[in-house]
Amino acid sequence: MNRPALITCLAVLPALASSPTAWEMNNYRDFIAGRLTGLSLTRDGKLTLAPKLETVFDSGQPVIWSVAAAPDGAVYIGTGHRGRVFRIEKSGQASLIWTAEQPEVFALAVDAKGALYAATSPGGRIYRIENGKASEYFATGAKYIWSLAFAPDGALYAGTGDQGRVYRITEAGKGEVYYETGQSHVTSMAFDAQGRLLAGTEPNGIIYRITGKDKAFVLYDAALPEVRSLVPAADGTVYAAALGGSMGRRALGGVQSLQGVPGSVSVSTTTATVTVEASEAQSGIDIKPKPEAAKPQPAQAAVAGAAATVETSGVEKAAIYRINTDNTVETLWSSKEENVYDLLVHGDDIVFSTDGQGRIYRLGTDRRASLIAQTNEGEAIRLLASPNGILAATGDLGKLYRLGPGLGASGTFESPVHDSNTVARWGRLSWRGDAPDGTRLVLRTRTGNSARPDKTWSEWSAPLTNAAGSPILSPNARYVQWQAEFTGPASLEGVTLAYLPQNTPPVVRSIVVTSQLSSVTAAARAAAAQTQPTASYTLTVTDTPDAAPAPTAGTSTQPVTRPAAEQLQIAWQADDPDGDRLAYSLYFRGEDEREWKLLKSNLSENSYAIDSDSLADGRYYFRVVASDAPANPPSTARTAELVSAPTLIDHTPPVVTAGPPSRSGSHVEIEIDAVDAASPLRHAEYSVDAGPWVPMEPVEGILDSPREHFVLKLDGIAPGEHLVVVRALDSANNAGLAKVVVR
């Protein structure tokens, strides 16, 4: 009986320690991050069995660059980096038919008579291989040959680099430059339904339609640097795959590249565009290269095969375009994560391959791409339609796969590794999907404490078959991974793994103690001003019957008051790795004391202020204890603490005494002593007649002790009376003053 397994998913909760947390995978982006073997993934996020994928041939080489079909159903492949050409018969039997002197065979083509042509690089030579013998057919003089294509009239065309030329070869040794694109490389070629040559280029991503020698029309100027594949359809539509959305593009997929391979090569920083001019001397359109600062160019690769280090964030790396018969262009698919390497038209669908673990996608008429197979190689470089299914040639390693018309019998999905950030207690694993009668869908887990699964991880657990939730049997650990095994046409749409993270203690990072004035509102100040009397009155009471004399109004002295009392502000920084809400307790202890005294407990703020007068002069330590008890049961709550550096409390200003002035003409000397009981003196200065403060230094030259002696020398004192005020400040910025009147 058909029994769909449905569950109610847990919401992904904030990572609060000792609170259940759920790791969910339930959409396309979640599942595409895993490893698929024998499975397909729909755009709706459903895992199902994939078409049968079988290995047709393992070349033993790092990469298969090119494929071509023979008239008898055999397939040729060209490899790198040892320049080998193999023939694979319909039966699957393979044989090495030729080894080139050059390391790369980037392109293959078969003529109407079944003869094979192989383009080798570097050196830009084309060889004709027939009956097991190879002979040089044409030397282009170019450094690379990227593409070969036969025209309906039997002529062979070659797209080259690094001068971006198209050659037309009519017979052995006879050929000519047919068109110069002004680009660096001609990376792809094909003939459309009307027999016109299409050429895709790099680094400006221009697609040309070449109608004759030196005659072309720019069919499309893509936003991406390299046009990798061109596929004309019978109705006149042209499909194109372009890649290279990064400023420094990595070598073709992950394989070691030859210096000069488009996508990783160093190219001229002079770009080229084209101008279209009507030619009076000839029919058609004349395209002439014109240097211009155009699109961003690929950065030079310092080491062949090295991955690029500069990526343009948020820019498409690849796209598939459809060029309609009226020359309008539509973008059918684009990606910021994967490069597309090849495509083909398969019925009403487009099939294309990428470098995302050698994936093969199907793009339907609804423009929704579904992953139909994953080779788990570095990249799927070439696709070829065959009577028995689609062939895919890969790099890193160089293998030839066949995607059959029927479904495979089984498949597996391996999730990415999930990090719970701390050792976790595992709960239940539940899933949503469909396992009809005759099919089997089981899930397993494994755990470990290293970021990547290795021999220190646990073995895969026993099968978890209850969709509504099975207890996870793997050991408690920080990292977890699950695997799904499909037998028959089962499907999987979502998986939820529940766990309880171990509570991590909070961290107190710093404590800062500062002094400040307590806030006094303007209203309080105004109220205080209104209560001050404007005059002072005295009432005299006598023991005689005489009437008291009338009171006499006097003039009161106006005191200058401090605006506010001084406070000590204790502030700290603390956080919790689990994001828990914290509560704080604040303690203090004098330098000569043994026990901590509690100032305040259960604080939710990260600061606390006290009246500075509540602590006498001396050195004090402050201790902050942070607890995550507000977010955890008492049995699992954790604490952390930090003790501040010693803090000097100094309320007492220095005592400043000045001796009598000694005068000689306009020269005056005053001896001054300053003493502080709690801290060293840090600054001393004087002012004459309430003028600006002038620094002064002690007799010994350095102001660094609690007791200092000064000799103040004043020259050019004008006749008359003068007020000299001396001020000394200690380490706590307390000021002591003395005044001297000089007459």
Side-chain angles (χ1 to χ4, degrees):
M1 128 183 178
N2 190 355
R3 152 175 89 71
L6 301 175
I7 67 166
T8 301
C9 294
L10 295 174
V12 178
L13 303 174
L16 300 180
S18 295
S19 297
T21 302
W23 169 38
E24 292 189 57
M25 296 185 65
N26 53 25
N27 58 44
Y28 179 87
R29 293 188 64 84
D30 292 340
F31 288 125
I32 200 67
R35 182 180 179 89
L36 291 79
T37 303
L39 296 178
S40 293
L41 176 61
T42 68
R43 195 63 192 177
D44 296 330
K46 180 185 290 187
L47 288 168
T48 59
L49 286 179
K52 185 177 181 180
L53 185 69
E54 58 180 344
T55 303
V56 176
F57 176 63
D58 184 349
S59 70
Q61 305 299 300
V63 58
I64 297 176
W65 291 124
S66 50
V67 294
D72 60 0
V75 175
Y76 297 104
I77 63 169
T79 71
H81 308 302
R82 298 178 65 180
R84 292 181 172 180
V85 177
F86 294 87
R87 176 183 167 94
I88 298 97
E89 306 294 342
K90 289 190 295 183
S91 63
Q93 182 179 357
S95 59
L96 174 66
I97 62 172
W98 183 58
T99 300
E101 295 180 0
Q102 296 78 27
E104 315 297 329
V105 180
F106 286 131
L108 294 173
V110 178
D111 66 12
K113 298 179 180 179
L116 174 66
Y117 296 78
T120 63
S121 298
R125 297 173 183 270
I126 301 173
Y127 293 85
R128 188 175 190 270
I129 306 169
E130 193 172 21
N131 299 324
K133 295 182 179 180
S135 58
E136 183 175 309
Y137 186 68
F138 186 74
T140 64
K143 192 171 185 179
Y144 307 106
I145 300 177
W146 304 114
S147 51
L148 294 175
F150 274 102
D153 62 2
L156 177 63
Y157 289 79
T160 68
D162 52 0
Q163 295 180 349
R165 293 172 175 171
V166 175
Y167 287 81
R168 183 175 186 269
I169 304 113
T170 53
E171 57 182 285
K174 293 185 179 180
E176 62 177 343
V177 176
Y178 193 64
Y179 186 74
E180 295 196 30
T181 65
Q183 301 291 297
S184 296
H185 304 277
V186 178
T187 50
S188 55
M189 292 192 307
F191 283 88
D192 66 13
Q194 299 181 33
R196 298 171 298 187
L197 178 64
L198 305 176
T201 62
E202 196 264 359
N204 279 10
I206 297 176
I207 301 174
Y208 297 87
R209 185 166 61 203
I210 304 172
T211 55
K213 181 176 171 55
D214 298 327
K215 297 179 181 179
F217 175 76
V218 173
L219 192 60
Y220 185 56
D221 186 352
L224 295 167
E226 179 181 348
V227 178
R228 186 71 191 167
S229 178
L230 291 170
V231 177
D235 62 359
T237 302
V238 176
Y239 296 91
L243 59 84
S246 61
M247 293 299 294
R249 301 189 303 282
R250 50 180 287 202
L252 190 59
V255 301
Q256 295 181 348
S257 68
L258 185 68
Q259 186 177 4
V261 174
S264 66
V265 298
S266 58
V267 298
S268 171
T269 57
T270 301
T271 63
T273 185
V274 295
T275 57
V276 182
E277 300 175 354
S279 174
E280 298 179 357
Q282 58 188 13
S283 61
I285 299 176
D286 183 22
I287 310 292
K288 298 180 180 179
K290 174 182 177 182
E292 175 182 314
K295 302 174 185 174
Q297 299 304 305
Q300 293 187 355
V303 180
T309 57
V310 181
E311 289 285 335
T312 304
S313 177
V315 175
E316 273 72 21
K317 293 178 66 175
I320 295 176
Y321 308 107
R322 179 170 65 193
I323 306 172
N324 300 310
T325 54
D326 60 357
N327 293 346
T328 58
V329 180
E330 300 174 74
T331 300
L332 303 181
W333 174 89
S334 65
S335 173
K336 297 178 182 178
E337 291 81 29
E338 300 179 59
N339 279 307
V340 58
Y341 284 133
D342 204 4
L343 60 85
L344 55 84
V345 178
H346 191 260
D348 294 332
D349 300 329
I350 302 297
V351 177
F352 62 95
S353 60
T354 74
D355 60 352
Q357 301 186 57
R359 293 170 179 154
I360 302 171
Y361 292 88
R362 176 187 293 116
L363 187 65
T365 54
D366 59 357
R367 301 189 183 183
R368 295 172 63 87
S370 298
L371 175 63
I372 58 173
Q374 182 167 297
T375 65
N376 291 316
E377 302 294 343
E379 54 282 310
I381 295 176
R382 291 296 181 193
L383 297 175
L384 181 68
S386 74
N388 297 324
I390 296 173
L391 299 176
T394 65
D396 193 28
L397 297 166
K399 297 180 181 180
L400 186 66
Y401 291 88
R402 178 184 290 114
L403 199 62
L407 295 179
S410 62
T412 60
F413 175 82
E414 196 171 286
S415 76
V417 173
H418 178 70
D419 182 3
S420 63
N421 297 316
T422 183
V423 174
R425 294 170 54 192
W426 309 119
R428 291 176 175 270
L429 183 76
S430 51
W431 51 270
R432 292 182 296 112
D434 188 10
D437 289 343
T439 67
R440 188 166 181 257
L441 176 60
V442 298
L443 279 76
R444 306 173 189 268
T445 62
R446 63 177 177 177
T447 58
N449 286 308
S450 58
R452 294 185 178 181
D454 55 22
K455 62 182 180 181
T456 67
W457 275 50
S458 68
E459 299 294 330
W460 288 107
S461 70
L464 307 175
T465 57
N466 187 355
S470 299
I472 297 172
L473 306 176
S474 300
N476 294 339
R478 174 173 173 173
Y479 300 95
V480 64
Q481 187 180 35
W482 59 266
Q483 181 189 73
E485 299 175 356
F486 294 70
T487 303
S491 65
L492 184 64
E493 298 179 48
V495 174
T496 301
L497 187 151
Y499 61 94
L500 187 68
Q502 174 183 311
N503 187 19
T504 305
V507 178
V508 184
R509 302 192 180 278
S510 64
I511 302 175
V512 177
V513 182
T514 57
S515 63
Q516 64 180 20
L517 298 179
S518 62
S519 59
V520 178
T521 64
R525 288 177 183 267
Q530 291 175 1
T531 61
Q532 294 180 359
T534 58
S536 175
Y537 299 91
T538 302
L539 179 62
T540 302
V541 179
T542 68
D543 57 359
T544 67
D546 299 332
T552 303
T555 302
S556 64
T557 300
Q558 175 69 44
V560 178
T561 60
R562 295 178 179 268
E566 187 181 57
Q567 289 185 327
L568 285 181
Q569 180 82 10
I570 304 105
W572 54 91
Q573 288 185 341
D575 55 66
D576 189 273
D578 303 320
D580 291 345
R581 184 165 54 91
L582 299 178
Y584 307 99
S585 296
L586 178 63
Y587 300 82
F588 80 98
R589 177 178 64 82
E591 189 175 39
D592 56 348
E593 300 170 11
R594 296 182 179 179
E595 297 182 0
W596 291 100
K597 287 82 176 173
L598 178 65
L599 277 174
K600 189 70 175 177
S601 62
N602 201 29
L603 287 165
S604 58
E605 301 296 329
N606 288 60
S607 64
Y608 187 70
I610 62 173
D611 185 352
S612 64
D613 289 339
S614 62
L615 298 177
D617 289 358
R619 293 179 182 271
Y620 292 85
Y621 296 90
F622 295 91
R623 183 178 68 160
V624 174
V625 178
S627 171
D628 60 7
N632 294 277
S635 60
T636 61
R638 307 289 295 274
T639 62
E641 66 177 53
L642 182 68
V643 177
S644 71
T647 301
L648 175 65
I649 305 297
D650 184 2
H651 301 290
T652 307
V655 176
V656 182
T657 57
S662 171
R663 181 170 181 177
S664 176
S666 62
H667 178 77
V668 176
E669 287 190 4
I670 306 171
E671 293 196 12
I672 302 162
D673 288 293
V675 180
D676 191 84
S679 63
L681 299 173
R682 290 294 181 235
H683 189 64
E685 54 196 358
Y686 70 92
S687 171
V688 178
D689 295 336
W693 291 101
V694 180
M696 62 181 185
E697 64 180 18
V699 173
E700 66 178 14
I702 301 177
L703 196 64
D704 60 355
S705 67
R707 180 184 295 272
E708 297 287 355
H709 180 69
F710 304 86
V711 176
L712 177 59
K713 298 179 181 181
L714 302 173
D715 293 315
I717 296 296
E721 185 178 80
H722 300 278
L723 175 65
V724 179
V725 177
V726 178
R727 180 167 66 181
L729 294 90
D730 61 14
S731 298
N733 215 33
N734 297 310
L737 298 98
K739 75 174 183 176
V740 178
V741 178
V742 179
R743 296 183 175 88

